[in-house]
Amino acid sequence: MSGADDGRELSPSERYARWSAERALEGTELDRFRARFSFELDPFQIDACVALQAGSSVLVAAPTGAGKTVVGEFAVQLGIAQGRRVFYTAPIKALSNQKHGELSAWLGSERVGLLTGDVSIRPDADVVVMTTEVLRNMLYAQSPALDDLGYVVMDEVHYLADRLRGPVWEEVIIQLPQTVQLVSLSATVSNAEEFGAWLDEVRGTTAVIVSETRPVPLWQHVVVGDDLVDLFVDAEGEAVVSHGPGASHSRIVNPALERLSFARADVDRRPGRDGQDGRGGRDDRGGRDERGGRGRRGTQGRHRPRGNPRDRRDDRRDDRREHGRDRGRDGGGGGGHARTNPFALRPPRRPDVVSLLDDEGLLPAIFFIFSRAGCDAAVRQCVFADLRLTTPEAKRTIRAVLDERLAAIPYEDVEVLQIPAFRRAAENGFAAHHAGMLPLLKSIVEELFAAGLIKAVFATETLALGINMPARSVVLEKLSKFNGVSHADLTPGEYTQLTGRAGRRGIDVEGHAIVVAGPGFDADAVAALASRRTYPLRSAFRPTYNMAVNLLDRFDTATARESLELSFAQFQADRSVVGLARRARELDETIASYRDALECDRGDILEYSDILERITGREKDLSRERATRDRDAARTALRRLRRGEIVAVPGGKRQGFAVVVSVRGDTLGGPEVLLLTTEGRLRTLRPEDAPTPPAVVDAMRVPDPDRFGKPKIRKDTAAALRARLAGRHQDPGRSVRAGARTPSTAATDALLAELREALRAHPCHDCPDLDKHLRWISRVRSVTKERDSVLRRIDGRTSTLARQFDRVCALLEELGYLERTGTDVDGHADLEPTASGLLLRRLFSERDLLIAQCLHEGVWESLDAPALAAMVSAVCYEARREGAEAATLPADPAFASALARTHRLGEELAAAERRHGLDATPEPDPGIAAVMHRWALGEHYAAAVGTSGLPAGDFVRQCRQVIDLLDQLVPVPVIGPVARDAIGRVRRGFVSQEISL
């Protein structure tokens, strides 16, 4: 492992070693490469390039903006010099597009290609930029493009921790030919050595180069009211750098901020405080009204070139002190201290924060707001406050860029895309940036921000993924965000990733991380986030259906299982076994010490305890047998149900009244009944869902099952059901007598009676200390149970992925995607893909097996192009929030029928997955099917989206996913021509513009 210099003076021997190393580089490819740059490469960059030049793979872990990509670019130069191809991969298309532009500017566009799934530009070029998924697909297809491949650069490789897309990274690393040198570029992670050790194991010699030093110093601040307060100070109260050159390790939290943590108050209860920050009234638009005296918001810092803002901050601080604004240490105030007035803890309005940063010379800035709505609201607040961050000349330049880039947007879509509001904000120097925006607008924001024309961007955390948007400052309004389940505090790793965007090398002399103080502000908590740089890399690798058939198409079963054992996930699991084994030994010692207390002078207390355990076990066996008989009765009852019968399910997760829509008795796992509830929802009832057989309480006429895909049919039938049930008790268990449970046999069981008699006859039964003995036995059993659990975890973490792979293969074999060809030496079945399996091999989707099932059953063959695009959207789409309203489906009978059949196949598949111990495939979500159908019919964006509220960015992203999956369906017989037609219908307008560069 190598690291960057720590700033200390080198010893004579170290200076000589450095001189010798420099001499060794003279005339090498690295010597020619570094001549490109106007600055000296950092030691960590040199170390990584030297290792790469020597034939080793490398892992470079360094902070954001440290210059990791220099190492990737050196791999490009080495490949070109050696006549070998170079693939440069990135996790997202935006990064791929950006890197393609950078490499084209360096090497010339004719030498650089781009492959992102929906874009193919010069795929045979010397250097090809691509998403990781494209490279994975090439590896499985054994593409000829891999023949002369020399280097693969994996930028942002820590992305392999991503739950959905991370496994692709490990597939690539494992499957790449050993002749390829791998350049892995990662953010600073706390277990880089562990990750490097795994790379060394699976890729051969891998140099691990770690640099924890930012090339640009980072200052930490807190916005308190209208003051910018330093978070860290030294013993004399002077501000100090937290990270990077000049960082102080003896820093302390600013005492003034610590006092603020104890000055929290609920100012809303104070009379006359209707403004957000308590310093005068404000109007609804975010600017001060006539009482506050603030009119049009100009700025004093917008004309400043990028230099050292700290010098200007010190000058302004002196001015404030001279005019009495800063009250020094006694009162707080100023840049280094804070007033202890509790009203200062009310967060200022966003336009005020922007103005404050501009006054301090700290723009351009990225404001991270953890919601799309919050980003858009911030822009509106700045517009209403009449905030102006641009000069007349800059505004003219921005207007010219907007005129050119936005000309392609159809007139009828201008308003729904909110183009006028976007233009007004951008011309004044601020904008939002989030996934809900049209990608074209996001790229314009990135372009104008990089050019220094836009000064403030309000963005979600997706902007921290690596897109090059140089900011002098990063502002965090909150230190918590919604993680998809609940609101959770930022981790130190997330804080580091976000604030790492501040201060870009070669552009800024320093960066600034700023937290806005509000109610509940805790200076120590902020300091802890800013001080720790913990970001452990955890594998998200898991076997998938597509992965299984691809592996078994290339290898025998034993080799396929072994390839999974090479994953980083298994590597981490195996390492954790060491700690578990230590815990097992400790528990064994505890059990041995407890056994001394298990002595009874009446007899063998352990024998007595064993009889008690056998009694408990027998009672549980009888209870399980009774439950099995109940399920058999429920299975028989479900088979006898008929369409139109109204049933009462008295318990379980399907409890309630419902009408039978259809009955299928030949499905996997037993009979399956499709019900419509009184709320108008379709539910599937299986034997395991009903603790007792459902009772038939009435009957009614219902439409044909295929018609229930229409919301109106479901709504009308549910209304008729409720009318039919009017007057009945609402509790199904009380309103009817459902099937009775099987009688218990515990009272007549001979073995149970024998055991109870043996317990009463045992000599320890009358021991006066029996309770004490049993408590000790309980302790022993508890510790023994924990020990056994640890041993099971040890066993479970050994070959975990291989066992998961076996379960996946068992299901695929059951469904006909794999077939046995024999048995290997270890007793495992030799498997290979069937014709259906070869089709599944080409499907890359989270619902890959469900799609394959639909293709195998011919469910989609009756669909025309618009309906097929809508159906594909249903197997691609997932709502951003749970509990969304029921989707409006396309007015197409063929689509409704196909969707109902797709749902049924999905439910059958989920049942089979549960039986095999696998996670169920998500069911189709037709949430935007009607939108996609209208778009494919030729409607413009505003008409296609209608009242669905689908943001433009989400719409384009969904169109891209639909096009990608449709492209996978083109080779499929029967629907291939329809899929090709659907691609042309979806790839149009600004969707086509965003896809083709």
Side-chain angles (χ1 to χ4, degrees):
M1 185 187 77
S2 176
D5 288 344
D6 56 10
R8 62 181 175 82
E9 184 177 351
L10 299 178
S11 67
S13 61
E14 289 172 326
R15 286 198 298 271
Y16 177 76
R18 179 67 58 83
W19 177 81
S20 298
E22 284 292 323
R23 289 291 302 272
L25 293 180
E26 292 180 0
T28 66
E29 198 63 44
L30 176 55
D31 195 31
R32 289 185 285 275
F33 173 73
R34 62 182 180 175
R36 286 182 53 215
F37 302 95
S38 59
F39 54 86
E40 290 291 327
L41 297 185
D42 286 341
F44 88 89
Q45 296 169 320
I46 293 291
D47 290 345
C49 292
V50 167
L52 198 58
Q53 186 169 253
S56 171
S57 293
V58 295
L59 165 64
V60 182
T64 301
K68 297 184 293 291
T69 55
V70 167
V71 183
E73 291 173 1
F74 180 59
V76 171
Q77 180 153 325
L78 277 177
I80 292 175
Q82 298 167 1
R84 303 167 73 192
R85 300 190 76 195
V86 182
F87 289 169
Y88 200 111
T89 72
I92 58 177
K93 294 177 183 178
L95 286 176
S96 296
N97 294 339
Q98 187 175 87
K99 199 63 194 179
H100 174 261
E102 294 172 358
L103 292 175
S104 297
W106 170 31
L107 301 172
S109 59
E110 71 283 353
R111 305 193 72 170
V112 184
L114 178 66
L115 291 173
T116 61
D118 48 24
V119 175
S120 179
I121 301 175
R122 290 178 291 278
D124 298 324
D126 299 332
V127 182
V128 183
V129 182
M130 62 184 65
T131 56
T132 320
E133 285 82 358
V134 170
L135 179 53
R136 186 268 311 272
N137 299 351
M138 293 173 66
L139 287 167
Y140 280 144
Q142 301 182 56
S143 169
L146 302 170
D147 294 343
D148 57 350
L149 181 62
Y151 298 87
V152 168
V153 182
M154 301 192 78
D155 203 355
E156 308 284 343
V157 74
H158 53 275
Y159 207 82
L160 66 78
D162 182 74
R163 182 183 64 86
L164 295 178
R165 299 176 59 197
V168 176
W169 294 82
E170 294 190 46
E171 290 183 79
V172 168
I173 292 171
I174 294 170
Q175 301 297 336
L176 270 176
Q178 290 297 316
T179 55
V180 175
Q181 286 178 249
L182 183 65
V183 181
S184 304
L185 307 179
S186 170
T188 303
V189 293
S190 54
N191 60 337
E193 291 78 10
E194 179 187 41
F195 185 49
W198 172 68
L199 288 173
D200 194 78
E201 185 172 299
V202 298
R203 300 297 314 162
T205 304
T206 300
V208 181
I209 313 296
V210 177
S211 173
E212 297 186 355
T213 302
R214 281 176 51 97
V216 176
L218 181 67
W219 302 79
Q220 306 277 347
H221 314 285
V222 179
V223 172
V224 181
D226 58 358
D227 285 327
L228 193 66
V229 184
D230 296 301
L231 176 62
F232 293 116
V233 296
D234 57 21
E236 284 72 38
E238 294 298 322
V240 295
V241 173
S242 65
H243 299 100
S248 172
H249 297 289
S250 59
R251 60 180 181 265
I252 61 173
V253 178
N254 192 330
L257 287 176
E258 290 186 317
R259 288 195 296 272
L260 276 175
S261 298
F262 296 100
R264 303 169 186 166
D266 185 1
V267 299
D268 291 335
R269 298 180 181 177
R270 295 289 298 270
R273 295 287 176 178
D274 55 353
Q276 185 175 358
D277 65 353
R279 292 189 304 275
R282 295 180 183 272
D283 60 19
D284 294 337
R285 301 178 303 165
R288 294 188 182 183
D289 61 13
E290 59 275 10
R291 292 174 293 170
R294 181 72 63 90
R296 176 171 293 176
R297 303 292 297 276
T299 59
Q300 301 172 359
R302 62 176 177 254
H303 308 295
R304 297 193 190 92
R306 285 189 162 184
N308 191 334
R310 179 153 295 277
D311 297 337
R312 292 189 293 275
R313 288 190 59 211
D314 292 341
D315 293 341
R316 279 187 294 280
R317 188 176 300 165
D318 292 340
D319 292 341
R320 288 198 301 268
R321 286 171 178 162
E322 180 179 347
H323 292 89
R325 180 182 172 189
D326 189 303
R327 292 179 291 173
R329 296 192 182 189
D330 329 356
H337 307 282
R339 292 185 287 271
T340 56
N341 181 356
F343 294 106
L345 289 181
R346 298 292 293 176
R349 290 182 181 269
R350 287 155 177 159
D352 295 333
V353 177
V354 176
S355 295
L356 173 62
L357 297 188
D358 192 40
D359 290 344
E360 297 286 355
L362 299 182
L363 296 182
I366 298 174
F367 290 70
F368 282 113
I369 301 173
F370 302 119
S371 76
R372 299 176 179 183
C375 295
D376 294 335
V379 171
R380 289 194 300 271
Q381 290 162 12
C382 291
V383 169
F384 292 155
D386 209 7
L387 185 66
R388 308 266 179 108
L389 302 176
T390 52
T391 63
E393 180 182 358
K395 181 174 290 190
R396 285 192 295 271
T397 303
I398 294 171
R399 186 176 293 124
V401 172
L402 297 178
D403 289 342
E404 177 184 355
R405 299 291 301 278
L406 298 177
I409 295 179
Y411 172 79
E412 57 268 20
D413 293 335
V414 167
E415 287 299 328
V416 72
L417 291 173
Q418 300 180 2
I419 299 302
F422 174 81
R423 293 187 64 114
R424 178 181 177 186
E427 289 178 12
N428 285 322
F430 49 89
H433 187 289
H434 57 73
M437 295 171 59
L438 187 69
L440 173 62
L441 301 186
K442 289 198 299 180
S443 67
I444 292 174
V445 173
E446 293 161 13
E447 175 185 335
L448 295 176
F449 191 83
L453 295 170
I454 283 183
K455 303 293 187 180
V457 169
F458 303 95
T460 56
E461 68 271 25
T462 55
L463 190 59
L465 280 177
I467 298 174
N468 185 23
M469 286 185 62
R472 180 174 297 170
S473 304
V474 163
V475 181
L476 300 179
E477 289 190 346
K478 295 181 179 179
L479 297 178
S480 66
K481 65 174 183 176
F482 185 74
N483 59 16
V485 179
S486 61
H487 282 85
D489 293 337
L490 292 181
T491 66
E494 290 169 332
Y495 183 90
T496 299
Q497 182 80 354
L498 295 170
T499 57
R501 309 295 301 172
R504 304 298 283 182
R505 186 176 189 174
I507 300 177
D508 287 302
V509 296
E510 61 184 32
H512 300 264
I514 301 162
V515 174
V516 178
F521 172 76
D522 187 338
D524 289 333
V526 177
L529 282 175
S531 299
R532 296 168 57 200
R533 301 177 67 82
T534 304
Y535 187 78
L537 190 59
R538 294 287 177 259
S539 172
F541 187 78
R542 67 194 185 283
T544 65
Y545 303 120
N546 173 274
M547 184 192 304
V549 292
N550 271 293
L551 288 174
L552 292 171
D553 187 47
R554 294 185 61 190
F555 311 114
D556 58 36
T557 304
T559 305
R561 295 175 91 253
E562 289 171 4
S563 71
L564 297 175
E565 299 283 1
L566 294 175
S567 68
F568 186 42
Q570 191 62 59
F571 184 83
Q572 289 186 310
D574 290 343
R575 283 198 163 193
S576 69
V577 167
V578 176
L580 291 174
R582 185 184 307 113
R583 177 59 179 163
R585 288 194 299 271
E586 293 172 353
L587 293 171
D588 280 333
E589 295 171 359
T590 302
I591 292 171
S593 67
Y594 281 178
R595 287 192 180 275
D596 296 338
L598 300 181
E599 297 294 336
C600 178
D601 56 8
R602 298 289 184 96
D604 188 345
I605 190 65
L606 290 177
E607 183 183 63
Y608 182 85
S609 176
D610 286 340
I611 297 175
L612 276 175
E613 289 289 317
R614 292 174 64 191
I615 290 173
T616 302
R618 181 58 180 169
E619 290 173 341
K620 290 181 178 178
D621 289 342
L622 294 174
S623 177
R624 282 192 290 267
E625 292 172 5
R626 185 186 184 194
T628 299
R629 289 192 292 269
D630 286 339
R631 282 195 297 272
D632 290 341
R635 187 175 291 108
T636 301
L638 291 184
R639 281 198 181 95
R640 294 174 177 171
L641 292 177
R642 295 294 179 263
R643 185 161 65 93
E645 291 182 334
I646 300 173
V647 296
V649 182
K653 60 182 179 181
R654 297 292 186 262
Q655 178 177 1
F657 290 102
V659 63
V660 177
V661 175
S662 65
V663 180
R664 300 189 65 188
D666 56 350
T667 62
L668 296 170
E672 180 179 281
V673 179
L674 183 64
L675 302 174
L676 181 75
T677 68
T678 53
E679 293 80 23
R681 296 181 180 178
L682 291 173
R683 293 289 184 263
T684 302
L685 184 67
R686 302 180 182 87
E688 62 268 24
D689 298 328
T692 60
V696 177
V697 301
D698 207 339
M700 59 181 284
R701 294 178 61 85
V702 295
D704 291 337
D706 290 347
R707 301 184 62 194
F708 278 87
K710 298 182 178 180
K712 186 176 186 305
I713 296 296
R714 296 196 299 270
K715 181 179 178 181
D716 291 346
T717 306
L721 174 61
R722 291 193 298 271
R724 193 80 174 205
L725 292 170
R728 294 182 184 271
H729 196 284
Q730 294 302 308
D731 182 355
R734 294 177 56 188
S735 63
V736 298
R737 179 177 296 278
R741 291 205 63 187
T742 304
S744 172
T745 59
T748 59
D749 184 72
L751 178 56
L752 189 56
E754 180 183 339
L755 289 172
R756 287 170 174 168
E757 179 61 30
L759 186 71
R760 288 190 292 268
H762 196 280
C764 292
H765 191 64
D766 296 325
C767 176
D769 295 325
L770 179 61
D771 289 343
K772 178 181 178 182
H773 294 321
L774 292 179
R775 280 196 298 271
W776 275 107
I777 289 175
S778 176
R779 293 172 188 169
V780 171
R781 293 192 186 282
S782 176
V783 177
T784 302
K785 183 178 179 180
E786 183 181 354
R787 190 270 315 272
D788 293 342
S789 174
V790 171
L791 293 177
R792 284 194 300 271
R793 289 168 64 191
I794 292 174
D795 181 63
R797 295 191 183 188
T798 305
S799 303
T800 307
L801 294 174
R803 286 197 295 272
Q804 178 81 353
F805 177 73
D806 290 341
R807 289 192 287 269
V808 168
C809 289
L811 175 59
L812 292 176
E813 184 182 2
E814 177 183 313
L815 296 179
Y817 293 93
L818 297 174
E819 61 183 1
R820 295 184 181 227
T821 58
T823 305
D824 63 20
V825 293
D826 296 324
H828 296 104
D830 267 331
L831 300 166
E832 64 179 27
T834 62
S836 297
L838 294 177
L839 173 61
L840 174 60
R841 186 174 67 86
R842 296 192 299 266
L843 298 176
F844 297 94
S845 167
E846 189 178 2
R847 298 181 175 95
D848 50 5
L849 187 51
L850 174 59
I851 296 168
Q853 287 285 84
C854 291
L855 296 176
H856 179 72
E857 297 289 336
V859 172
W860 300 347
E861 291 181 0
S862 63
L863 301 176
D864 60 12
L868 182 60
M871 182 60 66
V872 167
S873 77
V875 293
C876 292
Y877 178 71
E878 286 189 18
R880 295 184 64 240
R881 292 286 186 270
E882 294 185 358
E885 296 183 1
T888 301
L889 302 182
D892 185 328
F895 176 88
S897 176
L899 180 63
R901 294 176 65 191
T902 300
H903 271 293
R904 284 198 294 270
L905 284 176
E907 291 172 345
E908 292 177 13
L909 175 59
E913 288 170 321
R914 285 191 289 268
R915 284 191 292 101
H916 284 272
L918 299 170
D919 293 335
T921 296
E923 64 181 20
D925 186 343
I928 63 165
V931 173
M932 195 62 62
H933 190 259
R934 289 192 291 267
W935 177 258
L937 283 172
E939 299 278 4
H940 58 79
Y941 169 75
V945 172
T947 60
S948 68
L950 182 68
D954 291 341
F955 172 75
V956 172
R957 184 165 52 257
Q958 292 301 324
C959 285
R960 288 175 169 175
Q961 292 180 6
V962 167
I963 290 170
D964 183 57
L965 184 51
L966 285 170
D967 190 55
Q968 297 173 38
L969 301 182
V970 168
V972 179
V974 181
I975 69 170
V978 183
R980 187 178 291 108
D981 183 17
I983 291 173
R985 290 171 174 270
V986 176
R987 181 184 280 164
R988 64 181 183 83
F990 52 67
V991 173
S992 174
Q993 177 187 15
E994 291 305 319
I995 290 176
S996 58
L997 298 180

